[in-house]
């Protein structure tokens, strides 16, 4: 066990309940001051090998072969199951003052039941759980108009 986390409950159900209460309390505190809150859920988690994908020069490799080699995805249903709790809590907190962003809505095709590892600009992930700079730019491009509208910047 991490000594810095000794205060944290060990039962996963207690941890989840504690997280939910703490998140709601934090958001309530911020919105009570008249501020808006944007809450991001987790990114779809891939297998650990995804960081190896961009270590080969793209011009040497056929893009289709590179996508096959780098298709280290966890099955879609497993990804969505992992996100179910967090996405559900974050969606339930959404209001006029709270915007919920579910990255899986932008990184996954729910009809095809797949999550993207690549976009036209390149690899979306830095490692199995973090977006690359291209992935961050891709996601912000997908949600920028929603953010502007929510923050009334247009």
């Amino acid at each position: 066990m991490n000594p810095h986390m000794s205060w944290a409950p060990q039962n996963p159900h207690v941890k989840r309940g504690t997280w939910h209460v703490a998140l709601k309390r934090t958001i309530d505190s911020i919105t009570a001051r008249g501020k808006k809150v944007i809450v991001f859920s987790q990114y779809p988690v891939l297998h650990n090998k995804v960081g190896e994908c961009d270590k080969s020069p793209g011009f040497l490799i056929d893009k289709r072969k590179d996508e096959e080699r780098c298709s280290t995805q966890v099955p879609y249903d497993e990804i969505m199951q992992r996100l179910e709790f967090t996405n559900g809590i974050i969606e339930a907190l959404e209001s006029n003052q709270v915007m919920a962003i579910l990255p899986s809505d932008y990184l996954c095709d729910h009809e095809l039941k797949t999550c993207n590892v690549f976009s036209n600009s390149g690899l979306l992930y830095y490692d199995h759980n973090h977006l690359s700079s291209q992935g961050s730019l891709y996601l912000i491009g997908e949600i920028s108009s929603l953010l502007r509208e929510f923050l009334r910047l247009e």
Side-chain angles (χ1 to χ4, degrees), residues 45-76:
V45 176
L46 307 176
H47 288 299
N48 290 330
K49 296 183 220 167
V50 76
E52 299 295 315
C53 293
D54 61 354
K55 292 188 177 158
S56 303
F59 64 89
L60 295 176
I61 299 172
D62 176 6
K63 184 169 172 63
R64 287 186 317 268
K65 294 282 187 203
D66 203 29
E67 287 178 5
E68 287 173 22
R69 183 175 60 81
C70 297
S71 183
T72 57
Q73 295 192 46
V74 173
Y76 173 85

Side-chain angles (χ1 to χ4, degrees), residues 2 6 13 18 26 50 73 102 113 131 141 149 153:
N2 182 338
S6 60
H13 297 293
T18 302
T26 301
V50 76
Q73 295 192 46
L102 308 181
K113 294 192 171 205
L131 293 181
E149 184 180 321
L153 297 176

Side-chain angles (χ1 to χ4, degrees), residues 139-149 154:
L139 183 59
I140 200 68
E142 294 290 312
I143 65 173
S144 61
S145 63
L146 296 171
L147 293 173
R148 281 190 187 97
E149 184 180 321
E154 295 188 283

